[in-house]
Amino acid sequence: MLTVLDHLPDQLLDLEAHQLYDRLGGPTLIHLPGRRDPALFVSVLLHGNETTGWQAVRQLLRHHAQRELPRSLSLFIGNVQAARHRQRRLDGQPDYNRIWGPGSTPEHAMAQAVLQQMQRRGVFASVDIHNNTGTNPHYACVNHLDAPTLHLATLFGRTVLYFTRPEGVQSMAFGRFCPAVTLECGKPDQPHGTQHAYEFLEACLHLSAIPQRPVFRQDIDLFHSVAIVKIPDQVSFSFGEEDGNQEGSPSHIRFPPDLDLLNFRELPPHTPIGWTNNGFHLEVQDEQGQNVADRFFYACNGEIRTSVPIMPGMLTLNSRIIRQDCLCYLMERYPLAG
């Protein structure tokens, strides 16, 4: 499944994300030389509808078109087939940000080939660029709490999310042998998201080293993802003031139309987040995969309310994304020593 190149194909930077499949045919790893080694590894389009990474890379490589890159760059362009249809992933495909661990699919084998090749070549740092479908601030995600990784994350911004589930994500795999971050750049097609990602990549290429000293706690707002919230397949849901799903029948769960405005807001206990007409139907799993719905939510008089102080992140109003991934993550502040 993997094409490996040592040059940038002609006119590739002229193509939008949805046009890449016709040119590349599938996942592609491109090694570009620079003044310093080892290379900065950058992955884009692991989700085909999250286009900011590709836009930022286009801007970066155009900027350096007539000059040598400050550091070598290894660029992985992921699910171009889904990008062709402007979808996160196609039906029947695995999630390209869940294939970087054990698995038997061709996509898992492809991800292992990328990992093995980059381990052999050496990696300065890894950057995986994503978007959200809901209203979120820009923030970096990490799976390891070593000082270089946190320094890399705070180069993007002071808001940093630490998580260990879901497993099989790109940054978790790369983080075992180099500093690795995931950038969440807001919604796709927002110019300030592209500019933010571009400026971060440009700064990374100019780094001679990543600091080894601890990050001062006053320089970071660190959060820990403690649970993932999903809606079971058999449970219908809708957004809006009127009760009813797309088929016109009453929904099991109804959410307010602006639910994603709760992202990265610390909610006190008993905050209502939606309504249920048939009991309680949210599924909440902690980092060990245990069902902990009762710890975080309860139903009262048809309302779904928070049981404890929580901060949701990645809330989305996109029903397809909710079915393919989740409704949101739940976060807590994470104390950093020092």
Side-chain angles (χ1 to χ4, degrees):
M1 292 185 67
L2 180 66
T3 299
V4 181
L5 303 173
D6 61 3
H7 65 281
L8 197 67
D10 292 340
Q11 283 83 53
L12 190 72
L13 300 182
D14 296 334
L15 303 180
E16 300 295 336
H18 68 273
Q19 298 172 312
L20 289 170
Y21 178 79
D22 290 335
R23 185 62 183 277
L24 298 177
T28 302
L29 178 61
I30 304 173
H31 300 297
L32 302 175
R35 286 196 301 273
R36 288 193 180 103
D37 285 312
L40 176 70
F41 180 87
V42 178
S43 55
V44 301
L45 292 174
L46 295 192
H47 296 145
N49 62 335
E50 299 177 12
T51 55
T52 288
W54 173 240
Q55 298 289 9
V57 165
R58 293 169 75 189
Q59 185 174 341
L60 181 78
L61 294 178
R62 283 170 173 163
H63 178 70
H64 291 280
Q66 303 302 322
R67 69 188 85 177
E68 186 179 26
L69 287 168
R71 177 176 290 280
S72 296
L73 175 68
S74 291
L75 172 64
F76 178 69
I77 305 172
N79 196 344
V80 292
Q81 189 175 8
R84 185 187 195 186
H85 299 279
R86 297 176 171 86
Q87 298 293 329
R88 176 188 175 95
R89 63 175 175 85
L90 301 183
D91 293 340
Q93 283 187 322
D95 187 318
Y96 269 48
N97 202 25
R98 304 292 186 271
I99 59 174
W100 300 87
S104 57
T105 70
E107 289 84 359
H108 282 85
M110 178 270 298
Q112 288 302 307
V114 173
L115 283 167
Q116 292 166 9
Q117 185 168 153
M118 294 312 303
Q119 280 188 282
R120 288 196 303 269
R121 297 173 68 96
V123 186
F124 177 68
S126 170
V127 181
D128 184 26
I129 306 178
H130 285 261
N131 291 109
N132 302 140
T133 54
T135 300
N136 285 272
H138 295 180
Y139 60 97
C141 300
V142 300
N143 311 110
H144 305 270
L145 293 174
D146 56 282
T149 296
L150 291 179
H151 275 289
L152 188 65
T154 55
L155 186 63
F156 187 65
R158 62 177 296 117
T159 302
V160 178
L161 174 62
Y162 166 62
F163 72 92
T164 58
R165 287 179 69 93
E167 298 177 339
V169 300
Q170 187 271 359
S171 57
M172 189 176 294
F174 271 81
R176 297 188 179 102
F177 56 87
C178 72
V181 298
T182 300
L183 306 186
E184 295 289 352
C185 301
K187 294 182 180 181
D189 302 320
Q190 293 182 333
H192 66 282
T194 298
Q195 185 66 21
H196 194 180
Y198 159 73
E199 291 173 355
F200 178 84
L201 295 178
E202 184 73 17
C204 288
L205 287 179
H206 282 89
L207 288 175
S208 59
I210 299 174
Q212 300 291 316
R213 61 170 175 79
V215 172
F216 297 120
R217 58 186 175 187
Q218 64 265 29
D219 294 336
I220 184 172
D221 291 324
L222 182 61
F223 300 93
H224 179 205
S225 177
V226 295
I228 183 171
V229 182
K230 298 188 176 186
I231 300 177
D233 291 342
Q234 69 275 18
V235 173
S236 62
F237 63 93
S238 60
F239 294 90
E241 299 302 327
E242 298 297 326
D243 189 13
N245 56 26
Q246 292 180 348
E247 288 74 34
S249 58
S251 301
H252 295 129
I253 294 178
R254 181 165 51 93
F255 297 107
D258 56 357
L259 181 70
D260 59 335
L261 295 182
L262 298 180
N263 280 322
F264 282 84
R265 289 179 55 186
E266 293 180 282
L267 307 180
H270 315 301
T271 300
I273 66 161
W275 301 267
T276 175
N277 67 10
N278 189 24
F280 180 64
H281 293 286
L282 290 180
E283 177 183 287
V284 185
Q285 292 184 354
D286 64 12
E287 292 182 296
Q288 289 71 46
Q290 300 299 312
N291 189 348
V292 291
D294 291 342
R295 174 184 165 193
F296 292 100
F297 299 104
Y298 69 96
C300 179
N301 297 324
E303 286 188 329
I304 301 172
R305 299 181 181 178
T306 60
S307 300
V308 295
I310 61 169
M311 176 183 286
M314 291 192 181
L315 278 166
T316 178
L317 309 180
N318 186 312
S319 59
R320 182 177 175 88
I321 299 299
I322 292 170
R323 290 302 190 194
Q324 289 186 338
D325 188 26
C326 67
L327 175 67
C328 69
Y329 293 84
L330 302 179
M331 304 176 291
E332 297 175 348
R333 289 189 178 270
Y334 192 93
L336 192 65

